[in-house]
Amino acid sequence: MQRTNRTFFTYRTPRGKITLESDGQALTRVVFGQQVLNGTEKPTDLTNLAATQLQEYFAGKRSTFSVPLNPEGTPFQKLVWEALLTIPYGQTRTYKQIAEQIGHPQSFRAVGGANNKNPLPIFIPCHRVIGTDGSLTGYASGTKTKAGLLDLERDKGSHQMSH
């Protein structure tokens, strides 16, 4: 498959720089910090839209995203990521609840592994998955980032959100 439409661009956000990658049709990767990803380094309408929606999210003005997503992963990982998209803004689920939701109740460790490999953090809200004991475990970008995103959603979730 040709990947000539791949682009990436780094945007400034209130949470620091975030690099977005696109395949020309959908967002394929989100990385905290400034990084060189696949394709040509240039902003596109799609990455600009994604960056705008991220800014609105960080400002507490957006609780859902409308950018098309195309994460690359195994069928199991994609099943987990689809389940993560059902977790409402400002709420959390445990790894066990996600495992049960996808019909693999004993696979909570594998759910954790898929969560950790999520290529589209924030857009696919892996930060909303917590340990059964309520602990902020297993966030690829660190528990401080995870706690910050959950705090943002809890603070803004108490107000009426526009979509």
Side-chain angles (χ1 to χ4, degrees):
M1 183 175 148
Q2 288 279 24
R3 296 189 177 210
T4 53
N5 291 335
R6 292 265 175 171
T7 62
F8 68 94
F9 197 72
T10 302
Y11 296 86
R12 292 182 191 278
T13 77
R15 301 287 169 129
K17 292 180 179 177
I18 293 183
T19 303
L20 304 177
E21 179 190 276
S22 163
D23 64 8
Q25 302 295 314
L27 209 56
T28 52
R29 251 169 104 197
V30 173
V31 180
F32 291 94
Q34 183 167 358
Q35 292 196 29
V36 174
L37 300 178
N38 297 313
T40 308
E41 184 173 9
K42 69 175 184 179
T44 64
D45 289 345
L46 181 62
T47 58
N48 285 343
L49 175 64
T52 297
Q53 290 188 7
L54 273 179
Q55 296 285 15
E56 293 167 352
Y57 169 82
F58 288 134
K61 296 177 179 161
R62 172 175 289 278
S63 61
T64 59
F65 298 99
S66 63
V67 178
L69 306 175
N70 185 21
E72 294 177 4
T74 67
F76 181 81
Q77 287 171 334
K78 289 181 178 185
L79 190 63
V80 170
W81 300 333
E82 286 171 20
L84 301 183
L85 290 169
T86 69
I87 304 172
Y89 180 91
Q91 295 186 26
T92 57
R93 298 290 182 270
T94 65
Y95 294 100
K96 185 177 190 322
Q97 286 172 316
I98 296 296
E100 289 168 352
Q101 181 179 336
I102 64 171
H104 296 273
Q106 301 305 313
S107 299
F108 51 91
R109 281 190 179 81
V111 166
N115 216 36
N116 189 268
K117 297 276 188 267
N118 174 15
L120 293 165
I122 304 175
F123 290 92
I124 297 176
C126 53
H127 60 278
R128 296 181 189 152
V129 184
I130 59 173
T132 304
D133 61 358
S135 61
L136 303 183
T137 59
Y139 194 60
S141 299
T143 53
K144 185 177 177 188
T145 299
K146 183 173 188 165
L149 294 172
L150 289 173
D151 288 346
L152 168 78
E153 292 187 11
R154 284 192 194 111
D155 292 346
K156 301 300 180 185
S158 61
H159 303 85
Q160 188 60 28
M161 296 292 303
S162 62
H163 293 273

